[in-house]
Amino acid sequence: MLVKWIRCTVIDRRGFERGQRKWAGLPGEPGFRGQGGGWSRERPEVAHIFSFWESRAFYDSFMARSHDRLAAAQAGTYKNMQVGLFDYRFDVKTGFEPRFTDADVVRVAHCTVREGRVEHFSLMQEKVWNPAMAGSPGMLRGVFGEAPGNEFLVLSMWQSAAEHGKYRAERVERLSLRAQTDADVAGLSGAVVQLEPSWTV
């Protein structure tokens, strides 16, 4: 599975949201698995969109055929778009499905891992972070993905921002020490995204 993460700064909110509804045409596309997104809780002008494809080949075919027609409706409504493509590595919790209807927020973490530390970082994700997240009340499911250049994406879906906030306050610092995150990670950015139900495809 391929995970696509789009971030952009929205300059015409109404126009952007109107254009976002045009993506309702995606389910007819071969290999499309699901899409959702919303607004950053820390930076309300930043939109995040996550889409899932069965494979890179299906995604490339969509980009070559239908993408520009669907995207045209949002032209001029945003700036500073960044796109990341990540290959699925494993689930965070079990039975990941790209659906957004039962989640309130998505936490996305983007990590650049130091040379020579990728194996350790992946192992800690599996042995330390995943069990902690899977055991947290309100955490629904998630996915761990990898891109060339030692880049990783950890995406987790939560029932509410309050549940995610509790997990962050109570556990993240301790887990970070245990996983030796500072030794593994050269750069870390991310966001808590308040999902917009009307963006779910």
Side-chain angles (χ1 to χ4, degrees):
M1 184 167 67
L2 186 75
V3 184
K4 182 178 187 177
W5 172 33
I6 304 163
R7 283 164 289 176
C8 60
T9 304
V10 174
I11 49 180
D12 169 6
R13 200 171 171 122
R14 281 183 63 188
F16 184 85
E17 294 206 297
R18 208 168 38 243
Q20 198 55 37
R21 289 197 279 277
K22 300 281 186 208
W23 297 97
L26 277 171
E29 293 293 332
F32 173 73
R33 298 279 308 278
Q35 179 167 291
W39 302 100
S40 165
R41 288 178 67 92
E42 299 92 347
R43 299 176 58 205
E45 75 287 359
V46 175
H48 294 258
I49 294 146
F50 309 97
S51 67
F52 300 84
W53 295 82
E54 263 167 52
S55 70
R56 183 66 190 246
F58 278 124
Y59 170 74
D60 286 344
S61 163
F62 161 71
M63 290 302 289
R65 288 178 302 101
S66 317
H67 173 269
D68 292 359
R69 179 174 46 81
L70 292 169
Q74 280 172 308
T77 64
Y78 59 85
K79 60 180 185 179
N80 304 336
M81 178 177 276
Q82 293 170 285
V83 177
L85 295 173
F86 298 84
D87 287 311
Y88 166 89
R89 284 277 304 273
F90 49 76
D91 290 355
V92 178
K93 213 167 176 172
T94 52
F96 179 79
E97 288 173 47
R99 60 190 170 86
F100 294 82
T101 44
D102 53 352
D104 183 42
V105 297
V106 165
R107 160 68 180 159
V108 57
H110 177 228
C111 308
T112 307
V113 176
R114 297 181 206 280
E115 212 54 62
R117 299 291 295 189
V118 165
E119 213 169 296
H120 182 265
F121 174 77
S122 302
L123 187 70
M124 290 301 100
Q125 185 64 42
E126 226 169 333
K127 301 280 186 244
V128 175
W129 291 103
N130 279 14
M133 269 199 267
S136 295
M139 192 277 187
L140 299 167
R141 60 190 159 275
V143 68
F144 180 71
E146 182 177 6
N150 297 352
E151 281 188 53
F152 293 86
L153 182 79
V154 186
L155 187 151
S156 54
M157 298 184 178
W158 297 76
Q159 261 165 3
S160 72
E163 296 284 13
H164 175 260
K166 230 182 309 182
Y167 160 76
R168 198 160 56 178
E170 290 168 8
R171 310 188 72 176
V172 166
E173 207 173 316
R174 199 178 66 228
L175 291 166
S176 205
L177 286 170
R178 214 174 111 203
Q180 301 173 348
T181 303
D182 287 350
D184 288 348
V185 174
L188 172 65
S189 64
V192 177
V193 180
Q194 187 71 47
L195 292 173
E196 284 285 344
S198 64
W199 297 11
T200 296
V201 180

